Amino acid sequence: MAYNCFRGSFPDPPLFIINLSAWNNSFTGDIPLSTCNRTFLDVLDLSYNNFTGSIPPCIGNFNIVNLRKNKLEGNIPDEFYSGASTQTLDLGYNRLTGKLPRSLLNCTQLKFVSLDHNRINDTFPLWLKALPSLKVLTLRSNRFHGPISPPDDQGPLAFPKLQILEISHNRFTGSLPVNYFANWSATSLKTDDEERLYMGDYTSDRFGYEETLDLQYKGLYMEQGKVLTFYSAIDFSGNKLEGEIPESIGLLKALIALNLSNNSFTGHIPMSFGNVTELESLDLSGNKISGEIPQELGRLSYLAYIDVSNNRLTGQIPQGTQIIGQPKSSFEGNLGLCGLPLEETCFREKIPSTQEQEEEEEEEAILKWKAVAIGYGPGVLFGLAIAHVVALYKPEWFIKNYGQDRLRGIRCL
């Protein structure tokens, strides 16, 4: 029934239905509780409608639950039983409140969790790292708060298969330890063992299901109707994170997109970025990062987008082909940066300050007096020497001319 113009309340589904797909219509009212009695139902996709009310308590009975972009309210039911077969849980773009249900830990096959654009008020779900198959976790635009790092006695954060972590526009705080990304194995190695090109469920021979996800990529926020199985991204933007960017970021060799913009990160850009060879999109804008841009960034052949604007960076911009092709807006707001694509050259003449000018004038005056002194001394000595020579070798001439004049003067007296 998907992609039509159906309106009004949703009818009770058939008893033996396996795949209920009615997304992108205009259904209203509550989701029928009779769906909980459909024991063969595997896929419940009622996304992109106008359903209201609460989420049925039986969503843990289904393999795929997609209720995205409705007007559902209340808490997420905390009734995922032990051994639940849920693999996809997409409840994004609703009006959900409360906390994440801890019973999600019973869903050991869970791969995809999207709860973006709700009103969930909770701390970062560190406990989800216990899920061995989780690949996608997006919590964008909620009211999550607190640190995203585990306590020191728990070691570094480790998601065995997580590829996409999107927690932007929340209220997360604190800093990231140096080894924060040390055990993120899924983004450390590029895998080519996926049989399908896009993320989804293809276990049934009757139908296939593909995931949908909103992602910010290369400065644009867009809905991805098809998510590539090898896509890997981290988005921490729009929070209150601080401290230095962990050097362990260089271990994520398969990472394609990284967004740390609009936080309070300080320190330098790690040189280990040069090891993230698959990186295509990097956004570090709106922080307090200082120092120079590592030359290693200019050697990333896939880097198609970079934004480091509005920081405290200095020095010359790396002149790699991927860097100088960026718009100058990607580097503006850093008073100490120079070189292409900015108009400021790194070889401009230095304009002396007023104090430097005064010191130069004093030095010039001293040099002039030294020159006078140096010229005066040898001049006097030279004059005396000449007089002495004349007196020794021309006495008759001296007496004849000078002496006679003296005698004439005496006679006149």
Side-chain angles (χ1 to χ4, degrees):
M1 299 170 63
Y3 221 90
N4 282 288
C5 300
F6 294 120
R7 299 180 181 179
S9 300
F10 193 77
D12 291 335
L15 289 175
F16 300 103
I17 190 169
I18 297 173
N19 177 10
L20 178 53
S21 179
W23 58 277
N24 209 337
N25 281 281
S26 297
F27 287 112
T28 56
D30 294 347
I31 298 174
L33 286 177
S34 59
T35 56
C36 293
N37 299 325
R38 302 319 186 241
T39 55
F40 293 97
L41 188 60
D42 283 335
V43 178
L44 178 64
D45 190 350
L46 303 179
S47 58
Y48 299 89
N49 279 282
N50 295 310
F51 286 109
T52 55
S54 58
I55 297 175
C58 59
I59 56 174
N61 297 341
F62 314 128
N63 291 346
I64 296 172
V65 178
N66 190 346
L67 304 178
R68 184 179 187 81
K69 291 195 175 181
N70 281 283
K71 299 177 182 178
L72 300 171
E73 299 176 339
N75 296 350
I76 303 173
D78 195 3
E79 299 187 25
F80 293 90
Y81 58 89
S82 179
S85 60
T86 307
Q87 299 180 25
T88 293
L89 180 63
D90 191 345
L91 305 176
Y93 285 89
N94 280 285
R95 302 170 183 175
L96 302 176
T97 55
K99 299 181 181 295
L100 292 184
R102 273 34 180 187
S103 60
L104 280 174
L105 286 175
N106 293 324
C107 305
T108 56
Q109 301 182 49
L110 195 60
K111 297 179 180 179
F112 186 98
V113 177
S114 180
L115 305 173
D116 55 320
H117 291 87
N118 280 287
R119 303 169 187 174
I120 300 172
N121 191 343
D122 203 351
T123 56
F124 183 72
L126 294 168
W127 42 274
L128 285 179
K129 67 180 182 180
L131 296 178
S133 302
L134 187 63
K135 292 185 176 181
V136 177
L137 175 61
T138 171
L139 307 175
R140 178 187 176 95
S141 296
N142 276 279
R143 297 173 183 175
F144 286 94
H145 54 87
I148 62 174
S149 301
D152 295 336
D153 58 349
Q154 294 185 14
L157 188 64
F159 287 99
K161 291 190 176 181
L162 193 65
Q163 295 177 220
I164 299 176
L165 178 59
E166 223 281 25
I167 59 173
S168 63
H169 298 282
N170 281 282
R171 302 169 185 172
F172 291 118
T173 57
S175 59
L176 307 181
V178 176
N179 61 349
Y180 187 76
F181 299 105
N183 294 331
W184 291 37
S185 56
T187 48
S188 299
L189 299 173
K190 186 177 180 180
T191 57
D192 299 313
D193 57 352
E194 295 286 351
E195 296 181 0
R196 300 286 181 170
L197 184 60
Y198 302 109
M199 292 184 182
D201 182 17
Y202 306 97
T203 56
S204 174
D205 55 356
R206 298 183 181 91
F207 59 86
Y209 173 83
E210 293 177 341
E211 310 286 8
T212 299
L213 193 63
D214 285 5
L215 291 172
Q216 188 168 353
Y217 177 69
K218 295 183 180 180
L220 300 175
Y221 189 70
M222 63 189 75
E223 183 179 82
Q224 302 288 334
K226 297 177 181 291
V227 184
L228 294 168
T229 54
F230 60 82
Y231 188 76
S232 177
I234 294 175
D235 191 345
F236 291 173
S237 62
N239 283 286
K240 298 179 181 179
L241 300 174
E242 56 188 11
E244 298 186 4
I245 300 173
E247 282 285 344
S248 56
I249 192 72
L251 298 174
L252 308 183
K253 301 182 186 299
L255 189 65
I256 294 177
L258 176 65
N259 190 348
L260 303 179
S261 64
N262 298 313
N263 280 283
S264 297
F265 285 110
T266 55
H268 295 67
I269 299 176
M271 290 189 293
S272 61
F273 268 119
N275 298 325
V276 191
T277 53
E278 301 294 323
L279 194 63
E280 298 179 11
S281 177
L282 175 62
D283 194 344
L284 303 177
S285 61
N287 282 285
K288 302 175 183 178
I289 304 171
S290 57
E292 297 185 356
I293 301 176
Q295 295 296 322
E296 287 79 3
L297 286 179
R299 305 187 188 106
L300 296 176
S301 56
Y302 294 117
L303 189 61
Y305 175 83
I306 180 174
D307 191 348
V308 293
S309 61
N310 299 311
N311 278 284
R312 300 173 182 177
L313 297 169
T314 57
Q316 185 176 11
I317 299 172
Q319 296 301 290
T321 304
Q322 304 293 338
I323 302 292
I324 61 177
Q326 302 293 322
K328 66 178 183 179
S329 60
S330 295
F331 301 92
E332 291 177 340
N334 295 279
L335 298 179
L337 277 183
C338 59
L340 294 175
L342 294 178
E343 298 177 356
E344 289 80 2
T345 176
C346 296
F347 304 100
R348 56 182 179 272
E349 295 182 0
K350 182 182 178 183
I351 301 175
S353 62
T354 305
Q355 183 178 356
E356 290 176 340
Q357 291 178 348
E358 293 176 355
E359 291 176 354
E360 289 179 359
E361 292 176 357
E362 291 178 0
E363 290 178 357
E364 290 178 0
I366 292 172
L367 289 174
K368 289 179 180 179
W369 279 106
K370 286 182 178 179
V372 171
I374 291 171
Y376 178 79
V380 173
L381 293 175
F382 182 74
L384 293 174
I386 293 297
H388 181 67
V389 170
V390 171
L392 289 176
Y393 295 98
K394 296 290 184 178
E396 296 178 356
W397 174 84
F398 182 76
I399 295 173
K400 182 178 180 180
N401 291 277
Y402 182 71
Q404 289 180 358
D405 289 340
R406 291 275 296 176
L407 292 173
R408 289 193 194 102
I410 295 172
R411 290 191 187 103
C412 292
L413 291 173

